[in-house]
């Protein structure tokens, strides 16, 4: 018997991490489970350093990501966790009641956001974030001709992008079956692209500047604001201290479009760094492939410059970014020139935009309480645009200012997190179109509280309450809740519910409708738009050997309490604008499967169905220009030596309802089913050079006669908004990229 006892003692001495001695071991030791905040919860970090602050007492995590060390003799005390290439973290250990802590080390950013990419996964569905989020990484953006943000969703099934009309070149997105105005656009977690910037804003963000994009579905976090109804899209620019010393990106297509981007990352010292980015682009070739006498795409010139700075200290971190944009576009009949402006010689349109925006973040971390921090976020932007549509002119100005103050802490343990704060938002609009003149000054004061409960890696509950006082809409209450539950390994179930509200700009957000002959008729005082969104999501990730895959199922329901209706159905040359009087809702279902068929080859298949109905004057009807069904097939192949890459996209577009443009037109007509094919071949060289060639809409499918009344553009039955398919045929393109690494990376 004594031999058995001695043997067990020896085993405990030499293998004190074994299950044999787990019970006695846990009584005296603290266990830290260290994870990398990548695309799943199984990215356990081997070799992470864990030590008590101010001492040399510590341990390293094993192959299971677990570091075990004795409790500090004087509690409470701070425990520091570090890992090369990831952001350090500090956990306050208050007492010995809790013996297991789970720590996620994300990439470095001011507010520790989860938009982190890993080389092996260029896009993924996050299983860490309690909000259902698709993450599009930098390498995913290279799989298609991503010249701007509107072209960044080619391989994503959640977001649809289409032209708003047949002549202006404005693009709009749809998420959960609803227009992009109900999506809150964030730049580095700060509200952006609002109001007058919505119609053309997607083209204002150069694709090569982007580091990642996060698409959060459903009611978003109350921390970012009250305007999120169907979701948020947060785009992150390249980060100081991480960006290459120099990047050159050139793009061109056979129709005469060109884009040039130059980006440089610099470091003044080990604490201050920045990114300077330049963008220039244009299209000067006139094309009319459908022979309707109108340009298929507007001509344009664009210049964009951004400088971003970052400061990172021991107690304080900060960011500041300034961006200026000049966009000048013109379109209309192919024979139109500047001398025809203001006459009926030829129909033309033009829009010139100057936009200046700046945002900043400052965060202070408490040295003795590292789980506490205070952050201030602020932004200001000025948007000025001048345009004309035939004989009518449009003038729009917007000045917006936003500040948000956040305080983050914990309640006893890191399982209970709290964020409290407040914000102010000010908008000043001045718009004129035809006989309509709108000058509005909006401001609101908001206060919010968000509580997070975490139980190991299995359960996370985030509940938030937000109260805003608006100078036009009085008190608005916006509660939101998100629940993430992982019942078994690699399975994630999410539930969400929340309310959002926004101001509608009936002119600036509908610039594309100004190109038609319609007269805007605002029938009543326009109120607030408000809706509830509820959703459920299931994600199952799996591995078959070294092959990875996932399956995702989503269902979201949006129910409007108040909404602004833009109604041109059978209204002759009128566009009626009024408040909702009845039901308005959207149901959206998405199924997606992705799997590595063999090493280097991934296949993704997705199906989406949207049921969107709104009460118009004619009754409850299916919302026009919303695809009832849509499919996506994405194939990606990369050679074993990672020198060659082939990407192919099949977009399958189901029918959607078309309204009757004018009285007497056919009602309840539907667009036909069609398929678009896109493909790209990329070559990567060891010296930092990348080249690629590809094609969009290779099937050359075009909507016939997208302009109604093209032969009489100054008449009463001229409509450019009946766009349901591609206007431009097949496009072939090529590009060149060059990356010069920093000396420290060579």
């Amino acid at each position: 018997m004594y031999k058995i006892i001695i043997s067990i003692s020896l085993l405990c001495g030499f293998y004190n991490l074994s299950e044999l001695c787990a019970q006695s071991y846990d009584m005296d030791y603290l266990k830290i489970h260290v994870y990398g905040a990548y695309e799943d919860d199984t990215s356990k970090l081997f070799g992470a350093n864990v030590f008590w602050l101010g001492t040399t007492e510590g341990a390293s995590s094993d192959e299971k990501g677990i570091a075990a060390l004795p409790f500090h003799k004087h509690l409470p005390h701070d425990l520091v966790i570090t890992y090369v290439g990831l952001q350090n973290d500090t956990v306050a250990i208050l007492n010995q009641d809790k013996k297991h802590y789970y720590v996620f080390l994300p990439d470095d950013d001011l507010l520790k956001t989860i938009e982190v990419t890993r080389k092996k996964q260029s896009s993924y569905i996050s299983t860490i974030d309690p909000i259902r989020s698709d993450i599009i990484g930098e390498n995913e953006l290279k799989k298609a001709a991503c010249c701007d943000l509107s072209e960044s969703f080619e391989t994503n099934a959640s977001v649809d992008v289409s032209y708003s009309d047949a002549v202006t070149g404005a693009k709009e997105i749809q998420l959960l079956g609803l227009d992009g105005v109900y999506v809150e656009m964030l730049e580095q977690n700060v509200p952006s692209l609002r109001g007058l910037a919505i119609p053309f804003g997607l083209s204002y963000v150069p694709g090569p500047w982007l580091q990642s994009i996060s698409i959060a579905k459903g009611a978003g976090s109350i921390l970012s604001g009250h305007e999120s109804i169907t979701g948020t899209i947060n785009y992150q620019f390249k980060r100081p201290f991480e960006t290459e010393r120099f990047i050159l990106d050139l793009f061109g297509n056979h129709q005469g479009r060109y884009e040039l981007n130059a980006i440089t990352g610099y470091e003044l010292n080990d604490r201050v760094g920045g990114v300077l980015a330049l963008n220039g682009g244009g299209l000067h070739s006139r094309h009319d492939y459908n022979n309707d006498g109108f340009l298929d795409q507007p001509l344009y010139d664009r210049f964009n410059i951004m400088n971003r700075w970052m400061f990172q200290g021991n107690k304080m971190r900060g960011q500041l970014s300034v961006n200026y944009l000049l966009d000048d576009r013109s379109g209309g009949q192919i024979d139109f020139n500047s001398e025809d402006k203001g006459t009926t010689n030829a129909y033309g349109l033009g829009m010139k935009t100057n936009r200046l925006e700046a945002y900043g973040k400052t965060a202070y971390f408490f040295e003795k309480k590292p789980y506490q921090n205070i952050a201030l976020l602020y932004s200001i932007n000025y948007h000025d645009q001048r345009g004309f549509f035939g004989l009518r002119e449009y003038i729009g100005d917007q000045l917006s200012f936003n500040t948000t103050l956040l305080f983050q802490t914990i309640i006893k343990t890191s399982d209970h997190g709290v964020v409290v704060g407040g914000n102010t938002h000010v908008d000043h609009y001045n718009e004129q179109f035809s006989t309509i003149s709108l000058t509005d000054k909006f401001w609101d004061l908001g206060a919010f509280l968000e509580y997070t409960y975490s139980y190991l890696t299995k359960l996370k509950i985030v509940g938030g309450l937000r109260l805003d006082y608006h100078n036009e809409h009085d008190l608005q209450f916006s509660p939101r809740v998100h629940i993430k539950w992982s019942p078994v390994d690699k399975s994630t179930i999410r539930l969400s519910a929340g309310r959002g509200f926004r101001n509608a700009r009936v002119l600036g957000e509908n610039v594309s409708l100004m190109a038609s002959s319609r007269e805007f008729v605002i029938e009543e005082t326009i109120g607030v738009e408000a809706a509830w969104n509820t959703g459920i999501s299931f994600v199952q990730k799996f591995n078959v050997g070294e092959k990875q895959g996932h399956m995702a199922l989503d269902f979201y329901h949006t129910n409007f309490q108040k909404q602004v209706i833009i109604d041109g159905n059978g209204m002759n040359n009128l566009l009626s604008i009024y408040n909702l009087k009845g039901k308005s809702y959207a149901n959206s279902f998405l199924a997606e499967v992705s799997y590595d068929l063999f090493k280097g080859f991934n296949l993704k298949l997705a199906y989406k169905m949207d049921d969107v109905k709104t009460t118009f004057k004619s009754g409850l009807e299916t919302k026009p220009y919303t695809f009832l069904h849509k499919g996506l097939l994405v194939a990606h192949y990369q050679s074993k030596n990672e020198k060659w890459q082939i990407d192919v996209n099949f977009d399958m577009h189901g029918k959607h309802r078309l309204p009757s443009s004018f009285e007497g037109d056919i009602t309840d007509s539907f667009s036909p089913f069609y398929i678009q094919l896109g493909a790209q071949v990329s070559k990567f060289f060891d010296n930092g050079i990348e080249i690629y060639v590809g094609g969009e809409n290779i099937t050359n499918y075009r909507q016939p006669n997208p302009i109604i009344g093209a032969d009489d553009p100054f008449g009463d039955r001229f409509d450019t908004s009946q766009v349901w398919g591609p206007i431009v045929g097949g496009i072939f393109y090529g590009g060149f990229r060059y990356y010069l690494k920093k000396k420290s990376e060579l």
Side-chain angles (χ1 to χ4, degrees):
M1 184 65 181
Y2 73 91
K3 293 182 179 180
I4 297 176
I5 296 175
I6 294 175
S7 299
I8 293 176
S9 301
L10 290 174
L11 285 172
C12 289
F14 290 102
Y15 303 103
N16 54 9
L17 291 178
S18 67
E19 295 297 329
L20 182 64
C21 304
Q23 185 175 358
S24 61
Y25 181 81
D26 285 342
M27 294 179 59
D28 302 317
Y29 278 74
L30 172 67
K31 282 190 176 182
I32 306 298
H33 303 252
V34 188
Y35 296 85
Y38 298 121
E39 75 276 14
D40 55 51
D41 291 341
T42 62
S43 50
K44 303 170 183 177
L45 297 182
F46 172 70
N49 294 315
V50 180
F51 59 91
W52 293 107
L53 182 65
T55 74
T56 58
E57 301 175 7
S60 296
S61 60
D62 59 18
E63 66 277 0
K64 295 181 180 180
I66 301 174
L69 69 165
F71 281 95
H72 196 274
K73 58 184 177 181
H74 298 298
L75 293 179
H77 203 86
D78 295 330
L79 193 70
V80 180
I81 303 94
T82 68
Y83 189 83
V84 177
L86 297 180
Q87 180 178 311
N88 300 342
D89 198 4
T90 305
V91 177
I93 308 300
L94 304 181
N95 51 55
Q96 296 189 23
D97 295 342
K98 182 178 178 181
K99 295 180 174 57
H100 291 261
Y101 286 79
Y102 294 80
V103 178
F104 298 88
L105 300 182
D107 201 355
D108 190 22
D109 199 2
L110 179 65
L111 296 180
K112 301 183 180 180
T113 58
I114 58 87
E115 291 76 37
V116 184
T117 60
R118 187 165 61 179
K119 182 178 180 181
K120 293 183 179 179
Q121 295 290 331
S122 59
S123 69
Y124 52 88
I125 299 174
S126 172
T127 53
I128 297 175
D129 194 343
I131 302 176
R132 165 66 162 88
S133 300
D134 293 343
I135 311 299
I136 302 175
E138 181 180 11
N139 290 333
E140 188 74 10
L141 297 174
K142 295 179 180 180
K143 293 182 179 180
C146 177
C147 294
D148 57 54
L149 186 59
S150 70
E151 298 166 328
S152 302
F153 308 103
E154 297 291 331
T155 61
N156 184 271
S158 297
V159 179
D160 295 324
V161 181
S162 61
Y163 283 101
S164 304
D165 67 289
V167 292
T168 67
K171 290 184 179 180
E172 63 180 5
I173 64 173
Q174 287 187 351
L175 182 63
L176 305 185
L178 292 168
D179 295 338
V181 295
Y182 303 114
V183 179
E184 187 173 31
M185 302 297 297
L186 303 176
E187 177 183 330
Q188 314 288 144
N189 293 306
V190 177
S192 181
L193 301 181
R194 302 171 55 258
L196 306 190
I198 288 178
F200 303 103
L202 294 175
S203 63
Y204 295 162
V205 182
W209 294 10
L210 295 172
Q211 182 74 30
S212 65
I213 303 172
S214 174
I215 306 167
K217 302 171 72 172
S221 169
I222 62 169
L223 305 183
S224 60
H226 55 70
E227 294 184 334
S228 172
I229 293 177
T230 60
T232 60
I233 295 180
N234 180 36
Y235 53 94
Q236 300 270 357
F237 288 128
K238 295 185 181 299
R239 303 183 181 114
F241 299 105
E242 299 176 18
T243 304
E244 288 82 355
R245 190 193 310 179
F246 179 70
I247 302 174
L248 179 65
D249 191 302
L250 302 174
F251 169 89
N253 69 24
H254 84 282
Q255 293 188 349
R257 178 186 176 184
Y258 68 92
E259 296 282 341
L260 181 148
N261 287 275
I263 306 167
T264 180
Y266 56 91
E267 299 177 13
L268 301 182
N269 51 49
D270 59 351
R271 295 195 173 190
V272 181
V275 173
L276 176 64
L278 297 172
N279 166 264
L283 173 63
H284 300 149
S285 300
R286 296 172 178 263
H287 300 286
D288 179 21
Y289 292 112
N290 56 15
N291 298 315
D292 62 0
F294 279 75
L295 292 173
D296 294 335
Q297 298 180 90
L299 311 179
Y300 74 91
D301 286 292
R302 183 181 302 122
F303 173 74
N304 211 335
I305 182 172
M306 177 190 71
N307 205 348
R308 182 184 178 195
W309 300 272
M310 176 180 286
F311 166 78
Q312 52 184 21
N314 295 329
K315 296 182 180 180
M316 293 190 67
R317 294 181 184 178
Q319 295 184 31
L320 179 64
S321 178
V322 179
N323 183 197
Y324 170 72
L325 167 86
L326 171 63
D327 184 81
D328 191 1
R329 61 181 62 215
S330 61
Q333 290 183 302
I334 195 167
D335 296 328
F336 175 83
N337 58 59
S338 58
E339 297 177 357
D340 296 322
K341 181 181 178 182
T343 73
T344 58
N345 295 336
Y347 178 92
L349 61 90
M351 182 68 72
K352 187 173 184 178
T353 302
N354 284 277
R355 179 177 174 84
L356 179 64
E357 60 182 329
Y359 78 85
K361 302 178 183 180
T362 303
Y364 175 80
F365 299 88
F366 294 84
E367 183 177 4
K368 295 184 178 180
K369 297 180 178 180
Y371 49 83
Q372 287 187 358
N373 63 77
I374 296 177
L376 176 65
L377 291 73
Y378 48 93
S379 67
I380 184 171
N381 71 73
Y382 175 69
H383 189 98
D384 172 81
Q385 55 189 30
R386 300 287 187 271
F388 66 94
F389 303 87
L391 301 178
R392 301 185 293 183
E393 293 190 356
Y394 170 76
I395 297 175
D397 293 305
Q398 174 185 350
L399 179 62
S400 296
F401 178 70
N402 179 76
T403 60
T404 302
L405 182 65
L406 305 169
F407 173 71
Q408 178 176 316
T409 187
I410 63 173
I411 303 175
K412 292 187 177 180
T413 72
S414 57
D415 292 340
H416 306 273
V418 175
V419 180
V420 296
N423 76 294
T424 61
H425 203 105
V426 180
D427 289 314
H428 183 198
Y429 294 99
N430 181 28
E431 294 182 273
Q432 297 178 23
F433 175 66
S434 188
T435 60
I436 301 176
S437 179
L438 298 176
T439 300
D440 296 299
K441 294 181 180 180
F442 297 126
W443 58 265
D444 66 80
L445 300 174
F448 50 84
L449 167 68
E450 185 176 83
Y451 166 75
T452 301
Y453 170 73
S454 301
Y455 175 70
L456 305 180
T457 60
K458 298 292 185 181
L459 179 66
K460 178 171 285 189
I461 301 174
V462 180
L465 298 175
R466 182 182 182 93
L467 185 66
D468 291 90
Y469 179 80
H470 194 279
N471 68 316
E472 293 287 339
H473 310 305
D474 298 326
L475 288 175
Q476 297 289 329
F477 185 54
S478 303
R480 295 176 186 177
V481 61
H482 302 275
I483 301 174
K484 181 184 78 74
W485 178 43
S486 300
V488 296
D489 188 32
K490 299 182 183 297
S491 294
T492 305
I493 299 174
R494 290 182 176 86
L495 299 173
S496 69
R499 182 182 185 270
F501 75 94
R502 64 180 295 273
N503 289 307
R505 299 305 304 169
V506 296
L507 291 182
E509 294 175 0
N510 297 284
V511 164
S512 60
L513 298 176
M514 297 178 181
S516 300
S517 62
R518 300 185 183 279
E519 291 291 337
F520 283 57
V521 179
I522 304 176
E523 298 188 357
E524 56 187 321
T525 301
I526 298 302
V528 68
E529 292 192 295
W532 284 88
N533 182 281
T534 55
I536 182 171
S537 170
F538 171 73
V539 178
Q540 177 66 56
K541 297 196 174 185
F542 54 88
N543 293 82
V544 181
E546 296 183 356
K547 301 174 185 177
Q548 299 179 356
H550 76 259
M551 179 188 70
L553 298 173
D554 299 335
F555 178 78
Y556 287 86
H557 173 75
T558 307
N559 185 33
F560 281 91
Q561 297 174 300
K562 300 177 182 179
Q563 190 178 19
V564 177
I565 306 300
I566 311 295
D567 189 358
N569 190 27
M571 302 292 291
N572 285 335
N573 66 333
L574 299 181
L575 190 72
S576 186
I577 303 171
Y578 51 88
N579 296 314
L580 174 69
K581 297 174 179 64
K583 296 181 179 180
S584 181
Y585 63 86
N587 295 314
S588 182
F589 170 77
L590 173 68
E592 178 179 301
V593 176
S594 176
Y595 182 61
D596 296 334
L597 293 180
F598 54 86
K599 188 174 182 179
F601 184 78
N602 177 268
L603 196 64
K604 180 168 71 174
L605 179 64
Y607 166 75
K608 185 159 68 75
M609 179 179 66
D610 293 321
D611 173 31
V612 185
K613 286 186 169 58
T614 303
T615 301
F616 297 93
K617 288 184 176 180
S618 54
L620 183 65
E621 297 181 359
T622 299
K623 189 176 182 299
Y625 309 117
T626 300
F627 289 106
L628 302 180
H629 307 276
K630 188 174 180 182
L632 175 66
L633 176 63
V634 179
H636 167 73
Y637 171 74
Q638 188 174 59
S639 62
K640 292 182 179 180
N641 59 6
E642 299 185 351
K643 301 299 183 184
W644 289 93
Q645 182 172 299
I646 301 175
D647 296 282
V648 180
N649 301 332
F650 286 93
D651 285 289
M652 293 150 279
H653 303 266
K655 65 180 183 179
H656 59 206
R657 189 177 78 84
L658 304 176
S660 57
S661 286
F662 304 101
E663 187 177 355
D665 289 350
I666 298 175
T667 59
D668 294 328
S669 59
F670 290 86
S671 63
F673 171 85
Y674 67 92
I675 295 177
Q676 285 183 281
L677 169 65
Q680 179 176 290
V681 179
S682 305
K683 170 66 175 176
F684 304 91
F685 299 89
D686 292 331
N687 56 3
I689 292 177
E690 301 175 7
I691 59 174
Y692 60 93
V693 293
E696 298 175 295
N697 193 17
I698 298 175
T699 52
N700 199 35
Y701 185 87
R702 292 198 300 265
Q703 174 185 342
N705 305 316
I707 300 177
I708 298 175
D711 57 341
D712 186 17
F714 295 98
D716 291 337
R717 298 177 68 88
F718 176 65
D719 188 2
T720 66
S721 65
Q722 286 266 21
V723 176
W724 50 261
I727 301 171
V728 182
I731 298 176
F732 299 94
Y733 62 85
F736 168 89
R737 304 186 189 100
Y738 173 66
Y739 295 85
L740 178 62
K741 294 183 179 182
K742 296 178 181 178
K743 291 182 179 179
S744 58
E745 299 174 329
L746 296 177

